[in-house]
Amino acid sequence: MKTAVRYYSKLGNTKKIAEAIAEEAGVKAISVTDEPDLTEYADVLFLGGAPYANIMAPQLREYAERLPADKIGRVALFTTSNRSRRTVRALRKILTEKGIPVEKRYFYAHMTRIKARIGPAKDFAGMIIK
Ligand SMILES: Cc1cc2nc3c(=O)[nH]c(=O)nc-3n(C[C@H](O)[C@H](O)[C@H](O)COP(=O)(O)O)c2cc1C
């Protein structure tokens, strides 16, 4: 199974969760700003971000809007925030409208509990790709 991990992170929290997921999956976590397009097929794409003043970064939204439906089996979402889960809802909407299947289960980490959520993030990745 081919797995990819992509994220947008301004302050580093989402990056840490992305790296935990990637470690479990045996791949590299790559920022959407470093690699603006998904070029290789992925059976599972883990995609994560965070809200800033209630909305996800435009870099992440635009990345999701550009994702090629024919290069993705399904997407599993993850997010970090102070409270809001709206990044997950918004990404799910964009991807579903493009015809990309999105896992019902997603991973959440509160911004003050990133360290404590590394293990559970790995468990989540393992559960999705098993
Ligand atoms: C400018 C700014 C605005 C934020 N707005 C929200 C928000 O509207 N809702 C929320 O739950 N968290 C909000 N947060 C918290 C971030 O989503 C949280 O710190 C997240 O983990 C940041 O992810 P990152 O470290 O990957 O950039 C905000 C943080 C910043 C710096």
Side-chain angles (χ1 to χ4, degrees):
M1 176 181 311
K2 286 212 72 172
T3 305
V5 182
R6 299 290 185 275
Y7 65 92
Y8 179 84
S9 180
K10 220 188 269 278
L11 309 168
N13 293 334
T14 312
K15 181 179 183 188
K16 287 181 188 146
I17 297 298
E19 285 172 345
I21 289 170
E23 191 183 324
E24 182 69 23
V27 297
K28 247 184 91 177
I30 299 176
S31 167
V32 300
T33 56
D34 289 340
E35 209 179 282
D37 289 297
L38 188 73
T39 50
E40 281 182 33
Y41 181 84
D43 296 292
V44 180
L45 169 66
F46 289 92
L47 182 64
Y52 308 99
N54 262 328
I55 53 166
M56 76 176 92
Q59 293 95 325
L60 180 60
R61 165 172 291 278
E62 286 158 19
Y63 182 83
E65 286 169 350
R66 275 199 312 274
L67 273 175
D70 60 345
K71 284 212 166 71
I72 298 164
R74 60 196 160 102
V75 170
L77 299 168
F78 58 99
T79 187
T80 72
S81 76
N82 185 35
R83 185 177 60 87
S84 165
R85 318 262 170 135
R86 68 184 300 151
T87 307
V88 162
R89 288 198 298 275
L91 285 173
R92 187 187 298 283
K93 184 166 186 287
I94 293 169
L95 297 171
T96 303
E97 282 174 4
K98 288 171 66 78
I100 299 173
V102 180
E103 280 279 341
K104 269 203 176 67
R105 298 166 292 183
Y106 67 92
F107 186 79
Y108 176 76
H110 189 269
M111 62 188 213
T112 62
R113 300 197 70 244
I114 299 302
K115 224 173 161 178
R117 296 292 283 155
I118 295 298
K122 291 182 181 176
D123 293 344
F124 172 74
M127 184 177 70
I128 295 290
I129 60 184
K130 77 166 186 293

